[in-house]
Each structure stands twice: as C-alpha cells, then as structure tokens.
Amino acid sequence: MTSAILRRPRGEAGNATGERKQGPRRLLTRVAVFAVIAAVPPLLFDDYWVFMSAQVLAFAIATLGLDVLYGRTGQMSLAHASFMGVGAYTTYLVSSLGYGLAVQLAAVAVVSLIAALVVAVPTLRLSGLRLALVTLAFGELLAWVVRNTTDLTGGTQGASVDPLIIGQLDSSEPLHAYLIALVPAAIATALAAHLGRTQLGRRMLAVRDTELAAESVGVAVSRTKITAFLISAVYAGVAGWLYAAITGFISPPDFDLFASVYLFVAVVIGGAGTVVGAWLGAAYVVLVPELFTLAGQPNLYPIVGGALLAIVALLVPDGIVGLGRGAWRRARRVRDAQEGAT
Amino acid sequence: MSASVETGAPPVVRIDGLTVRYGAFHALRDVTVSLPAGRISGLIGPNGAGKTTLLNAISGFTPIAEGRVHVGDRDITALGVRRRALAGVVRGFQTVRLLERESVWDNVLIGTERFAQPSALSQFFALPAQWRAHRRATAAAAEVLDLLGLRRHAHRRVDELPFASRRLVEVARVLVSSPSVILLDEPAAGLDQEGRQELAAVLTRVHDNHPSTMVVVEHDVDLVKTLCSYVIALDSGAFLCDGTPAKVFGDRQVQLAYFGRAAGVDA
Ligand SMILES: Nc1ncnc2c1ncn2[C@@H]1O[C@H](COP(=O)(O)OP(=O)(O)OP(=O)(O)O)[C@@H](O)[C@H]1O
Ligand SMILES: [Mg+2]
C-alpha cells in the first residue's frame, strides 16, 4: 500500500511494536534534565528568588491541571484559580485546627473533587465560551463565600496560614518550601506526562477534537469531561495547598477572576496540550509580573499579557512549545530535501 | 488484530421499515433490508440516496422516525452510539474525523476503546492493569498499521499527511478493534486507482482473518465487484434492490437511477 498512497518519504522509525521508543534511556534523560533544572534555584539563587521558584513549582501543578482540562480536553475554564483557592482555604481551615500534612492533603483532595463535580456535572452540555462563563460564576461564588465568612476565613482581610512542618523542613524557610514543593511538582509532572500514553488521555484528546469519532469507537464523552475536571481540580487544589504553605498568607484576590485569566493565558502561551508548555506557563505567570514589579511598572503586566495572548492566538496557536516543534519539523524537512537531492 | 471483543460468528444486521426524516424531508422511507452475516456488502446509490443516513441509523448517529434495527437477535434501536460501538457496531466517516494534532498512532489507538479498559485510576497512576492494557492496545494498533502500510508514518501528526493516508487512518481506527459489524463510508474516496485496489485487498484480508459483517459505501462499480459479494442499492431514500453484484448492476432500475441510463442505450 505504501507505494501508491503514501508519497511522503521518511517517517520516524518506531520500535518492534510500532510505538515510539520510550525506553529507560529516554526516561532517564528526562529525569536528568528535570533534576538539573530543579537544582539551579537552591544552588545559584538568593532566598528571594528561591521563594519565587517555589511558587513556580506550585503554579506548575496548577497549569498542568488546567492543561489536562483545557489543553487536552478542550474544556475552557475561568475558575482554575478559584480551584486553587478551594485548596488554599481548605488548607487554612484544616491546618488551623492543628492537622498536618496527611490530613491537609486528604481534605484538599476531597474538597477539590466535590467542587469539581459541582461545576462539571451541570455544565456537561456546555463548551467554549459558555462553559467559561459558568465556571466564572463559580469563582464569584467562592469569593462571595469567603467575603461573607470573615470569622472562618478572614474575609477580605485574608488569613495567615501556619507554616507546613515536615520533619526538619519548615515551609516558612524559602529553601525548605522549595524542597517541599519539588516532590509534588515532580509527581504531578510525571503523571501528566504519562497520561498521554493512556487511553484516558486519548479519550480527552478525542473529546477535544471530534466528539463524533470519540463516540463512534465507544468513548464515554461526558464521563471523560468529568474525569478531566476532577483531575484538574485536584491539581489546582494541591497547587493552592502549596501556595498557602509557601506564602503563608492567602486572600481572595489571589484566586479571583484575574488570577484565573492569567493561568489560562499562561497555558495558551506556553503551549496548550503539552507538559513543557504548562511549565513555561507557570514560570510566566509567577516571574513576569514580578519582573515588571521590580522594574517599577507593575501595571504593564496585564497589558503585556493581553498583547502576548493576542499574538500567540493569531500567530502561534501551539504556543512557545509549538514554535519550537515547528522549527524542528522545518529543519527535518530541509534535511530530508537535501538528502533527497543527492 | 488479536484482541477481539466479540466472540462467535458475525451477526446478520436487519433493518425493518426504517424511516428517517429531517423536518418534512424523508432521507430514508420505509427501508427494509438485511446485511448478510459475515459478508462484505456494497452500499450503492447516487448522491443523496441516503447511504450515509443508513449507516447513521445503524450506528445510532441519527434519530429514526420509524423502524427497527437488529444485530443478530438483539434489538439495538434504543441504544446510543456508544452502546452500539461497545456491542460491536463501529463505523468510519465519509468526512474524515481525526485528532488533527495527534499522531497516526494515537488516532488508531483511540479505536481500542472497545477492549477491556482498566479504571481511570489504574490508568492515571500507571498500575499494572494499565500496562497490560497498553500492551494489548499497541499490539493491535501495530498490526493494523502494518496491514494498511501506515507503520512508517506512525509518529507523524495526521494533519501533516496527504489526504489518502488520512483516509486510511480513519479506516484503521475502525478496524483496530476487530468489530463484528463494520460500516465504512466511501473509504476509497480520494485514493488513486492503485490505492483503491490495495485497499480492497486489505479489506478482503481483514475480513478473511477476522470475519465480520461489513458494509462499504462505494461508487466505483469495479471496486464493488472486486470487494463485495452482496450489493444493496438505494435511490432517493428508497430501497431499490439487493443481491449479487451481477444481479444488482444488471438491474434496469439500478442502471436508470445510478447511471442515468439503461445499459446499452448509449451504444
Ligand atoms: N442532518 C441532515 N439534515 C437535513 N438533511 C439531511 C441531513 N443529513 C442528510 N440529509 C439529506 O438526506 C439526503 C440523504 O443524505 P445522505 O448523506 O444519506 O446521502 P448519501 O447517499 O450518503 O449521498 P453521498 O453520496 O453524497 O454521500 C440528502 O438529500 C441530504 O441532503
Ligand atoms: Mg454519504
């Protein structure tokens, strides 16, 4: 069949089963790259930038979660920061009762799952902008609850969160906070990367691209959407948990509509549907506003963010990651052409 | 295609008194026809005859006004698309529907949904059940990619492929789970002569290896004659005739409807 139909020469070679090689070497390379990058902040940065880096780790879990929901499943959410808020306020309440790591995490997971169901089930029939608007209402609801429960949550004044103590580590120390955040960030990254190799991950892509084809092979479209919501909410909740522990202080503006929009922009700019894109997005959403603040121009951030989003949406729909991949493909094509000519 | 879901002989598909309406328009009117068990049937008819609508009705993609659809002894009329797929009725689309930004490989693997699937948690946390399922799915996908000559393109994004290959990916997604009822809507459209012959050979081989009740919508008479042992003709939403290719293509009504003339008239 190759002769007649497939005129393009040169595919990437697969291994014996036709699958892309995913041997231990490839995995080791990835782990090594992750480890080298992760070692940079503690070795080279001062306390302040280690603190910022710890926040990048927390936000990376959030953007990875949003990427599962939006990048892979195509469900647009403007409540992702609110889901971080759910995690952060749950952490605050549980930790102020004196509970530690295990109970905090369990509570964050359970409350996040419930919140996700509350949003995902009624919105099953919605998509795109209409879904985004409903999720936005959820964010407003959360803000309203916090504002009106000052005794419990600190209201608009915000609340101080007790530092997280794990053995010798104390999250109020920037370096310790960084080390504490590193573990869940690594796990979240590994699981998100692995998701692409499961049928669960493929169902999400199918729901995003063509619900008809998805259904035609037996995919449960609604269940897939809900699962994506659940995963993304737990990711956001864990991110909020870390955020509360690292910064030691939370207040409603941390999790408002703007925060949700910035997360969304971050995922799109980084490259929706890719793990690396989610990390780039997290770095963007934490570090860029900080750089503007340091430069004395904090108000420029939203403007630059909006402009960047417009540019990415119009010119590089696959984000920074897509830009890199496009260059790689072009290079390969040039090489193919040269080899073909000789 | 080792990991099949259905066991036993492929079923007959019976369509009784099927009517499909879009508003006041009858896309199909009181069609009664059977797809013979374990054979490759050709579904022919001019544009707008209702061929795609018939596949939609069998696969559950369109609501039907009247009539019933049986697969073997089972009445599937009330089942949704997904339940029918899991019961072994899988269709390909006339308009290629792919995961555009994903690889050929993932586009075929999505078709393994009908295999036993581990729970979402097992999949997400890469538990042993996930690895077993992964091996099963990849083996089936590798086999169908080999059959269709797509193996070397396995890791290309489908939006980079020429149209003909994209069509084959659409077919591969259907074949990968060895359904017992296979509905293909113009799988040869856009292929050149050689490609069409090769596709016919592949479908015949698939059918020999794993018997199924297969329907192929196709306009090309020669291809239908090569591939199909049974032919069903529709025209303007009505059943015209069925039987062996020789009988159907020799039928005067079919020739009038399908070629706009009776054979020999233009001599
Ligand atoms: N969703 C729909 N709404 C309204 N009319 C429809 C719809 N789907 C199909 N039709 C009409 O029903 C008739 C039969 O369409 P169908 O797609 O089944 O034809 P077909 O035999 O597959 O034709 P072709 O060879 O062009 O694919 C056509 O006149 C078409 O316009
Ligand atoms: Mg059609």
Side-chain angles (χ1 to χ4, degrees):
Chain A
M1 181 133 291
T2 27
S3 54
I5 299 176
L6 307 167
R7 295 205 178 70
R8 287 226 183 157
R10 188 184 287 278
E12 286 173 62
N15 64 9
T17 63
E19 198 190 358
R20 187 191 285 279
K21 282 206 179 94
Q22 180 79 20
R25 245 186 63 198
R26 192 184 169 94
L27 185 64
L28 275 179
T29 313
R30 290 182 177 185
V31 171
V33 169
F34 187 90
V36 167
I37 295 174
V40 168
L43 294 179
L44 300 180
F45 294 175
D46 63 18
D47 260 6
Y48 181 74
W49 287 103
V50 171
F51 172 71
M52 295 310 295
S53 303
Q55 285 193 53
V56 172
L57 296 177
F59 274 89
I61 299 175
T63 50
L64 283 166
L66 183 56
D67 192 57
V68 169
L69 184 63
Y70 174 71
R72 297 181 202 231
T73 320
Q75 301 293 96
M76 196 169 163
S77 164
L78 288 180
H80 206 64
S82 307
F83 281 102
M84 278 183 77
V86 167
Y89 275 99
T90 303
T91 304
Y92 166 68
L93 294 173
V94 173
S95 68
S96 60
L97 294 174
Y99 291 110
L101 174 71
V103 178
Q104 287 182 20
L105 267 182
V108 163
V110 169
V111 175
S112 299
L113 289 171
I114 293 170
L117 285 177
V118 167
V119 177
V121 173
T123 57
L124 271 178
R125 304 240 159 262
L126 304 181
S127 61
L129 216 54
R130 289 202 296 159
L131 173 62
L133 288 175
V134 178
T135 59
L136 202 152
F138 173 78
E140 286 306 301
L141 177 71
L142 183 80
W144 180 84
V145 169
V146 172
R147 272 200 310 275
N148 289 286
T149 53
T150 308
D151 292 348
L152 206 59
T153 62
T156 49
Q157 298 300 308
S160 293
V161 184
D162 295 336
L164 181 64
I165 313 286
I166 304 174
Q168 302 293 309
L169 299 176
D170 176 343
S171 69
S172 57
E173 286 285 318
L175 181 60
H176 293 187
Y178 181 85
L179 295 175
I180 290 172
L182 201 50
V183 175
I187 293 172
T189 304
L191 291 178
H194 175 256
L195 183 60
R197 286 161 53 74
T198 66
Q199 185 71 3
L200 179 61
R202 285 186 289 270
R203 286 175 196 151
M204 292 174 178
L205 303 174
V207 165
R208 178 193 70 193
D209 288 347
T210 159
E211 285 193 17
L212 291 183
E215 271 195 284
S216 78
V217 294
V219 170
V221 172
S222 295
R223 197 184 304 165
T224 302
K225 287 180 181 172
I226 292 175
T227 307
F229 245 114
L230 293 174
I231 293 173
S232 89
V234 172
Y235 269 59
V238 170
W241 166 70
L242 279 175
Y243 179 82
I246 293 167
T247 63
F249 183 80
I250 56 176
S251 66
D254 297 342
F255 313 112
D256 67 2
L257 168 64
F258 289 102
S260 285
V261 171
Y262 292 144
L263 281 177
F264 186 79
V265 170
V267 166
V268 174
I269 290 178
T274 64
V275 167
V276 173
W279 273 94
L280 293 173
Y284 166 85
V285 85
V286 174
L287 300 180
V288 171
E290 193 60 22
L291 293 175
F292 279 114
T293 306
L294 289 180
Q297 302 286 347
N299 297 330
L300 272 183
Y301 171 59
I303 300 170
V304 169
L308 257 180
L309 180 66
I311 292 171
V312 168
L314 292 173
L315 300 179
V316 268
D318 292 341
I320 299 173
V321 169
L323 213 58
R325 286 198 181 149
W328 166 250
R329 272 204 299 273
R330 275 189 296 280
R332 210 175 59 197
R333 231 170 265 155
V334 168
R335 185 195 63 188
D336 289 0
Q338 284 167 347
E339 283 180 12
T342 52
Chain B
M1 275 155 284
S2 36
S4 83
V5 176
E6 292 80 34
T7 48
V12 61
V13 178
R14 284 190 294 120
I15 294 113
D16 291 308
L18 178 68
T19 297
V20 174
R21 274 197 294 263
Y22 295 113
F25 176 76
H26 283 73
L28 287 176
R29 190 190 294 270
D30 194 21
V31 170
T32 298
V33 70
S34 284
L35 313 176
R39 290 166 74 175
I40 305 182
S41 302
L43 181 55
I44 65 166
N47 291 111
K51 306 181 294 293
T52 298
T53 306
L54 183 58
L55 297 199
N56 285 343
I58 298 172
S59 54
F61 273 90
T62 192
I64 67 180
E66 275 166 67
R68 310 225 62 93
V69 181
H70 284 84
V71 170
D73 295 333
R74 188 166 177 201
D75 185 342
I76 62 164
T77 318
L79 299 185
V81 171
R82 175 167 173 266
R83 301 287 298 283
R84 294 191 200 198
L86 297 179
V89 180
V90 183
R91 58 93 53 93
F93 293 91
Q94 184 171 359
T95 317
V96 172
R97 296 186 192 279
L98 303 175
L99 320 186
E100 289 296 339
R101 286 147 63 188
E102 311 306 324
S103 65
V104 170
W105 186 242
D106 282 328
N107 269 279
V108 176
L109 280 174
I110 188 67
T112 63
E113 180 68 22
R114 298 185 333 106
F115 295 0
Q117 294 294 340
S119 71
L121 282 179
S122 297
Q123 296 191 44
F124 189 72
F125 291 107
L127 302 185
Q130 156 64 17
W131 294 109
R132 286 193 296 275
H134 185 69
R135 274 198 300 275
R136 248 190 340 262
T138 51
E143 202 177 323
V144 80
L145 287 178
D146 272 342
L147 260 177
L148 290 172
L150 286 169
R151 178 68 156 268
R152 52 187 320 204
H153 295 273
H155 298 296
R156 299 200 88 112
R157 273 170 58 144
V158 289
D159 60 357
E160 289 184 346
L161 293 178
F163 180 76
S165 311
R166 292 164 50 79
R167 269 238 81 97
L168 292 179
V169 176
E170 174 82 22
V171 174
R173 185 189 67 229
V174 176
L175 297 182
V176 69
S177 69
S178 306
S180 55
V181 178
I182 298 175
L183 316 169
L184 297 176
D185 203 346
E186 306 198 14
L191 307 193
D192 61 17
Q193 194 50 38
E194 198 181 340
R196 301 164 74 79
Q197 291 307 321
E198 287 180 74
L199 178 68
V202 168
L203 290 179
T204 307
R205 196 144 101 238
V206 167
H207 191 257
D208 289 345
N209 290 345
H210 183 92
S212 62
T213 303
M214 195 187 287
V215 194
V216 180
V217 176
E218 178 53 52
H219 285 286
D220 182 54
V221 177
D222 289 334
L223 191 65
V224 173
K225 284 179 174 163
T226 325
L227 183 61
C228 307
S229 61
Y230 196 81
V231 179
I232 297 162
L234 297 177
D235 182 31
S236 311
F239 170 79
L240 217 51
C241 85
D242 60 359
T244 63
K247 179 195 161 202
V248 172
F249 287 119
D251 187 279
R252 230 186 84 81
Q253 264 188 307
V254 170
Q255 289 178 346
L256 274 173
Y258 201 46
F259 307 106
R261 60 177 167 76
V265 170
D266 64 341

